Amino acid sequence: MSSARRPLLTATAAASLLGALWFVPSANATSDSPVRDAVAASPSPQVAEQARIAATTAGDSVTGTGTRLADTGSFDSTPYVLGGTLFLTLGAGFVAYSVRRERLGF
């Protein structure tokens, strides 16, 4: 690769990265709706219902009866571990190949 193409390749890679990052959602902590000035004196019906369910569930969990969460099983992390190991090995191979080429003077 000629040295005249390297800046173009770098600029293309940077533009591609910025273009991809354009579509990543932002994590703004602000809301689009206006903020209420005063807090409601009484809790909403949804909050009251959740508090009632939490109180009865907490009492039932001691005795072992009542409503329980669904057992969804454990999280299978095997594909993530294998994929991470594969890409880490691939990256280390590229680094070793680059060092070898540099030392041999290619």
Side-chain angles (χ1 to χ4, degrees):
M1 175 182 286
S2 69
S3 36
R5 289 188 185 175
R6 284 189 183 158
L8 293 175
L9 183 62
T10 303
T12 303
S16 299
L17 180 63
L18 289 175
L21 288 176
W22 180 272
F23 294 102
V24 175
S26 63
N28 292 334
T30 59
S31 174
D32 291 337
S33 61
V35 178
R36 295 188 316 203
D37 291 335
V39 178
S42 62
S44 68
Q46 181 182 7
V47 171
E49 179 71 17
Q50 289 175 351
R52 184 187 60 76
I53 291 172
T56 58
T57 304
D60 290 341
S61 65
V62 174
T63 62
T65 61
T67 308
R68 299 186 59 172
L69 293 176
D71 184 15
T72 57
S74 63
F75 177 71
D76 184 21
S77 62
T78 305
Y80 299 102
V81 171
L82 292 177
T85 304
L86 172 75
F87 283 111
L88 182 64
T89 305
L90 184 66
F94 279 138
V95 169
Y97 179 70
S98 297
V99 168
R100 180 175 170 260
R101 283 182 52 106
E102 183 69 29
R103 289 188 180 164
L104 293 178
F106 284 117

